[in-house]
């Protein structure tokens, strides 16, 4: 028996993708995960005006939503998500 638990960071970044982001997270929660694996989800919401971050915070209380400035775009949003996950 393996006594080491595997921890995974799931990183997402978005801008005005409320429905797509919620569908992604709903799909994730339906996956069968081994008891030897745990994960944290970090979502960078880069200034969405469609309520993406708020909807995620309401439905998925374990997801860490990081608010972006609106000027991160995908690559800097992912960098911020990575840095945030490393600090957890």
């Amino acid at each position: 028996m393996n006594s080491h638990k595997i921890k995974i960071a799931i990183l997402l970044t978005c801008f005005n993708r409320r429905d797509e982001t919620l569908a992604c997270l709903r799909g994730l929660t339906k996956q069968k995960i081994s008891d030897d694996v745990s994960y944290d989800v970090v979502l960078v919401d880069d200034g969405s005006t469609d309520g993406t971050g708020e909807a995620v915070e309401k439905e998925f209380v374990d997801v860490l939503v990081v608010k972006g400035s609106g000027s991160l775009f995908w690559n800097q949003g992912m960098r911020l998500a990575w840095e945030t996950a490393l600090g957890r």
Side-chain angles (χ1 to χ4, degrees), residues 40-54:
D40 288 327
V41 180
V42 178
L43 168 69
V44 174
D45 178 16
D46 193 26
S48 294
T49 58
D50 68 348
T52 300
E54 294 81 4

Side-chain angles (χ1 to χ4, degrees), residues 3-80:
S3 63
H4 299 294
K5 192 158 184 136
I6 298 169
K7 188 160 187 176
I8 299 171
I10 299 171
L11 311 177
L12 304 140
T13 188
C14 68
F15 175 77
N16 286 343
R17 295 287 182 262
R18 182 180 180 274
D19 293 340
E20 293 88 346
T21 304
L22 292 172
C24 172
L25 293 171
R26 288 178 189 132
L28 175 64
T29 61
K30 292 178 182 176
Q31 300 306 305
K32 291 185 186 248
I33 307 279
S34 168
D35 291 338
D36 293 338
V37 176
S38 68
Y39 63 87
D40 288 327
V41 180
V42 178
L43 168 69
V44 174
D45 178 16
D46 193 26
S48 294
T49 58
D50 68 348
T52 300
E54 294 81 4
V56 169
E57 288 174 327
K58 183 177 179 183
E59 188 170 338
F60 300 96
V61 296
D62 292 334
V63 172
L64 175 60
V65 177
V66 179
K67 304 291 183 179
S69 63
S71 61
L72 294 174
F73 302 99
W74 183 83
N75 65 336
Q76 292 302 311
M78 291 302 291
R79 180 191 56 77
L80 179 56

